[in-house]
Structures are given as C-alpha cells and as structure tokens.
C-alpha cells in the first residue's frame, strides 16, 4: 500500500491481514538485554526449557512486532498523525521460531473538533502460523481526513 487510509475510508468493510514475520532467538535476546528483562524466564536457557518448553518471547516484543507489521503494510502511511492508545490482552505465549501475523478490523471512528483529523479504533488479533491467538488489542489512532491533505496542498 503506497498510502494508508484516510479517516473517511474507514468503515465496517475495512479489514487487513498482514503477512507473517518470524520471531527469532536473536530478536528476543536483544529485546531482553535492551529493556532489562533480567529474569530466568528470559535469560536462563535451562530454566526456560524446564518451565516453558523453550525460549518464550516477551509479550511487549510480540506486540511491537505486530504493530510493525501493520505499519509495514502501509495502513497509516502518510495518513497517521499519532498512535493514541493500545489495550493489549496477552492470550498465549509466542516462542523463538514462531511466525506471527496481525489481523485488523475497523471498530469505530469519530471526527475531532478539528475537521482535518479524526480518531479511528481498530481491533487486532495477533496470531501464529499454528492458528493460536497470542494477543488481542484495540489500537486508537489519530488519522488525517482528506481536508488535511487539501489544506496542506493549498499552502
């Protein structure tokens, strides 16, 4: 998608399913080190294997990668103003080697007091190739209307 959806284009038919992305051991290790998740759950291989059956990914890494899939798909490209809120519910663990995708569905929208922008809420399901739902969340985004682009072009 070269450009994302304008506010006006979001409706009950708006749906998107991204491609898959693999969660690698290196991604998990880097995220854990960068964010200080210094607990045996993420740092001790024998504990991980005994307790979880393998290297489990922090849910926040999975959520970040899932949002990246939406951005890579271009949904908000040149249309998104900012991400206002995420409300994740972590349902099932994701492990190194798992592949995730993100299924998005329009939920609601409302114009703001400024006619060049509105707030859009979409429901998301992050799922693995095995079909497990790992995370469900709503994303609330401020999105440009066509008036925003017209005003910018007129300037």
């Amino acid at each position: 998608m070269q450009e994302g959806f304008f506010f006006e284009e979001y409706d009950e038919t708006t749906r998107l399913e991204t491609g898959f992305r693999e969660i690698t051991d290196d991604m998990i290790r880097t995220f854990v080190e960068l964010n200080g998740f210094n607990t045996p759950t993420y740092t001790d291989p024998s504990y991980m294997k005994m307790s979880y059956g393998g290297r489990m990914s922090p849910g926040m890494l999975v959520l970040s990668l899932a949002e990246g899939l939406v951005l890579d798909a271009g949904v908000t490209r040149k249309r998104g103003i900012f991400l206002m809120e995420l409300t994740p519910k972590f349902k099932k663990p994701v492990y190194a080697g798992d592949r995730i995708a993100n299924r998005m569905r329009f939920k609601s929208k409302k114009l703001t007091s400024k006619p060049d922008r509105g707030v859009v809420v979409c429901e998301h399901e992050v799922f693995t190739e095995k079909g497990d739902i790992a995370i469900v969340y709503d994303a609330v985004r401020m999105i440009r209307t066509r008036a925003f682009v017209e005003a910018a072009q007129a300037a």
Side-chain angles (χ1 to χ4, degrees):
M1 192 179 291
Q2 291 289 352
E3 295 182 346
F5 301 121
F6 280 111
F7 173 83
E8 294 89 346
E9 295 175 298
Y10 284 90
D11 62 27
E12 56 279 341
T13 66
T14 305
R15 299 182 188 296
L16 172 91
E17 189 168 302
T18 70
F20 283 92
R21 179 167 186 185
E22 184 176 350
I23 309 276
T24 68
D25 191 67
D26 284 341
M27 286 176 177
I28 296 170
R29 187 181 341 279
T30 300
F31 183 89
V32 165
E33 289 173 11
L34 178 66
N35 294 287
F37 282 41
N38 299 315
T39 174
T41 300
Y42 302 115
T43 60
D44 182 341
S46 60
Y47 180 81
M48 289 184 264
K49 186 165 180 75
M50 179 185 66
S51 300
Y52 305 107
R55 183 179 277 280
M56 188 170 54
S57 177
M60 294 304 291
L61 171 59
V62 178
L63 179 62
S64 295
L65 292 170
E67 272 293 288
L69 289 169
V70 172
L71 296 177
D72 283 348
V75 173
T76 62
R77 191 170 294 134
K78 297 184 180 181
R79 304 294 187 248
I81 297 174
F82 68 92
L83 177 64
M84 299 172 68
E85 181 181 4
L86 295 176
T87 59
K89 290 185 175 97
F90 301 95
K91 300 291 192 178
K92 292 217 174 185
V94 175
Y95 294 89
D98 284 348
R99 292 168 46 88
I100 61 161
N102 195 333
R103 189 177 296 126
M104 181 189 92
R105 185 178 73 78
F106 168 80
K107 187 173 182 180
S108 66
K109 68 180 181 179
K110 181 181 178 183
L111 273 172
T112 67
S113 59
K114 296 181 180 181
D116 65 345
R117 61 196 68 190
V119 175
V120 174
V121 180
C122 289
E123 297 174 332
H124 293 261
E125 286 183 332
V126 182
F127 60 98
T128 67
E129 259 186 335
K130 299 172 203 161
D132 293 332
I133 304 297
I135 305 171
V136 294
Y137 68 98
D138 285 354
V140 182
R141 293 181 169 85
M142 187 163 291
I143 303 291
R144 293 177 173 141
T145 67
R146 285 191 169 87
F148 187 98
V149 172
E150 292 166 8
Q153 290 174 349

